[in-house]
Amino acid sequence: MAGEKSKAQERNLRVLGIETSCDETAASVVEAGRRILSNVVASQAAVHAKYGGVFPEVASRRHVEVIDRVILLALEQAHLSFEDLDAVAVTRGPGLAGSLVIGLNLAKGLALASGLPLLGINHLEAHIYSLFLQEETHPVRFPVLCLIVSGGHTELILMKDHGEYQRLGATLDDAAGEAFDKVARLLGLPYPGGPAIEQAARTGRPDAYRLPRAMLEGTWDFSFSGLKTAMIRLVQRLGPETRPGTPPALGSLPLPDLAASFQAAVVEVLARKASQAAKEFQATQLLVAGGVSANQSLRRSLEQAASCPVRMPPAELCTDNAAMVAAAGCYRALAGSGDPLDMDVLPDWALGVTNGSGATRRV
Ligand code: KG4
Ligand code: ZN
C-alpha cells in the first residue's frame, strides 16, 4: 500500500467531499488525500439546541436549504471548478436516513452532470481518515487501532490496511457522545453536551462521586447506560425537596463536581479499553476520532494509558466535516473503486463487521 500512497501524492488527486449524515452540512476539497484546499461546515447545533438533541426532520430541511451554497463555497475557497476535480465523495451512511439522502442525491446530480466518479463513503471510515489528513507530518503505519467516539458511535476497530477493518467491539447501548449529551440535558446544560460538560468539569473534582465504570472484561464492547442511570439517581438524591415526578431545581446542584465525576468515568473506560486493545493487537499507533476526541481529559488519559503513540485530529476535524470524507474518497479513488449512480443510503452501515474468522473487507 505504500506504493498506492505515493501514487496519491504523485497524481495529486482532488476530491470534493460532501457530508450530511447528521446535523452538519459540509463540503471540502482535499488534494492527494491530505492537503485541505477548503473545508466548509454549516453547523445546525444552534437550531437543535432548543430540542436538546438532533431533530431529524429539521436537520433534513436545513441541509436542503444550505447545501448548494456550502458546496459552491468549498469550490470557491479552493479556487477550483468541477473540471479541476477527479471524484465526488459523499457520506452514504451510517446516519440519519433523511439527512444522508440530501447529500447523496446532490452528489449523484453533480457526478452525472460532470462525469466524475462517485464514491459512497462510510462515515466511520471518514472519521478515521481525519487522521490521514496529517500524513505529511505524522505518517500512519499499519496496523493501527482506531477508537471512534461520536454522538452515534463508540467503536474499537483494528485497521490493517487502507479499506481493511476488523471491528473488535462497540457500545451495547448509548454512544459516548450520546451519554455526554443526555447527562448534559439532565444537568440543565445546553446541546451539544460534550463541550458543555467539559467546560463545567474544569472546576470540579473527578472523584467527588463514585460512579460505575462498565469494563465488560473479556470483550471490547462498551456500555454507558448504567452510568447514565447512576447520574439520574444521583441528581435525584442531591436535588432539593421536590414533588415526585418533577425535576430537582438544577441551580442548587454541585454542577462542576457532577460533570467532572461523570466525565472521569467515561474517560477512564475509554482510555483503559482502547490502550489494552492497542497493546493486545500490537498496533503501532492508536488513532482516536469523532466528536468526543475533542475532549482534553480523554486526550490526556489516552496518552498516559497507551504504550504506543496516540494520534487525535485537530479540534476542527474531530466533529463532523467533509475533509475527512474527501480524504477517505481519495484512497478509494486510487484503489479504483467507484460506486453506481443508483446506490442508496445505508443508515445502519457498519464498518468492518467481523464474521468470527477474522477481518472482513469494507462492507
Ligand atoms: O462526530 P460528531 O460531530 O457527530 C457524530 O457523528 O455523532 O460527534 C458529536 C458528539 C456529540 O455527542 C458531542 O456532545 C460530542 O461529540 N462532543 C464532545 C466534545 N465535543 C463534542 N464530547 C466530549 N467532550 C467534548 N469536548
Ligand atoms: Zn461523526
Side-chain angles (χ1 to χ4, degrees):
M1 277 290 158
E4 239 177 44
K5 198 187 86 194
S6 55
K7 252 197 289 165
Q9 288 151 22
E10 263 166 43
R11 286 175 53 199
N12 278 343
L13 284 185
R14 286 177 184 148
V15 176
L16 170 69
I18 299 172
E19 157 65 39
T20 63
S21 67
C22 192
D23 61 341
E24 256 94 33
T25 319
S28 161
V29 181
V30 169
E31 188 176 64
R34 64 216 163 102
R35 273 193 296 280
I36 301 177
L37 304 185
S38 63
N39 187 18
V40 180
V41 182
S43 174
Q44 305 177 4
V47 179
H48 298 284
K50 59 175 175 285
Y51 305 111
V54 179
F55 199 117
E57 279 96 55
V58 175
S60 317
R61 201 175 330 134
R62 189 84 187 126
H63 286 308
V64 173
E65 283 165 10
V66 303
I67 192 161
D68 292 5
R69 268 179 294 151
V70 167
I71 292 174
L72 288 175
L73 201 56
L75 287 170
E76 198 179 301
Q77 289 183 0
H79 304 291
L80 296 175
S81 62
F82 280 102
E83 295 84 71
D84 305 310
L85 299 174
D86 295 287
V88 177
V90 60
T91 304
R92 188 181 179 190
L96 299 171
S99 289
L100 289 164
V101 157
I102 313 296
L104 183 61
N105 282 350
L106 204 116
K108 283 181 183 177
L110 293 177
L112 188 65
S114 62
L116 291 170
L118 178 66
L119 302 154
I121 302 295
N122 182 297
H123 182 77
L124 301 177
E125 182 175 33
H127 270 300
I128 293 174
Y129 274 85
S130 63
L131 275 318
F132 284 78
L133 288 162
Q134 300 166 312
E135 260 277 89
E136 212 140 37
T137 46
H138 296 86
V140 178
R141 302 264 172 268
F142 297 112
V144 288
L145 200 281
C146 309
L147 171 67
I148 305 174
V149 268
S150 69
H153 296 270
T154 304
E155 315 231 343
L156 274 176
I157 291 176
L158 184 66
M159 184 178 187
K160 299 179 175 180
D161 204 336
H162 289 289
E164 199 175 318
Y165 305 98
Q166 182 181 353
R167 187 186 194 215
L168 305 176
T171 183
L172 302 178
D173 38 60
D174 290 347
E178 187 181 359
F180 270 98
D181 294 337
K182 286 178 175 169
V183 167
R185 195 172 178 176
L186 172 75
L187 299 177
L189 294 169
Y191 173 86
I197 288 195
E198 182 169 20
Q199 174 68 27
R202 289 220 164 99
T203 51
R205 287 173 301 137
D207 57 355
Y209 302 104
R210 270 167 54 87
L211 291 166
R213 282 133 168 87
M215 290 308 294
L216 306 185
E217 300 288 351
T219 77
W220 298 113
D221 290 330
F222 298 91
S223 168
F224 296 106
S225 65
L227 173 60
K228 181 185 65 188
T229 307
M231 286 298 292
I232 295 171
R233 296 262 156 78
L234 186 58
V235 166
Q236 282 167 347
R237 187 159 61 76
L238 292 172
E241 289 287 304
T242 48
R243 278 182 293 118
T246 58
L250 294 166
S252 59
L253 287 173
L255 198 56
D257 282 351
L258 284 168
S261 300
F262 166 77
Q263 179 174 267
V266 177
V267 162
E268 188 181 326
V269 173
L270 292 174
R272 271 171 57 188
K273 293 205 81 148
S275 54
Q276 278 169 9
K279 196 168 175 196
E280 176 139 340
F281 291 91
Q282 297 174 347
T284 64
Q285 289 170 351
L286 173 54
L287 308 188
V288 193
V292 183
S293 65
N295 188 283
Q296 296 300 323
S297 168
L298 176 64
R299 289 176 171 230
R300 279 193 300 274
S301 296
L302 282 164
E303 270 158 359
Q304 279 163 12
S307 48
C308 64
V310 183
R311 303 253 330 273
M312 286 150 290
E316 69 278 12
L317 297 177
C318 288
T319 45
D320 289 349
N321 63 85
M324 64 187 196
V325 178
C330 280
Y331 287 88
R332 279 279 308 282
L334 281 169
S337 55
D339 288 306
L341 281 174
D342 63 353
M343 73 169 149
D344 211 347
V345 296
L346 296 172
D348 301 314
W349 194 6
L351 182 68
V353 175
T354 47
N355 57 11
S357 60
T360 55
R361 302 285 302 184
R362 181 190 289 111
V363 290

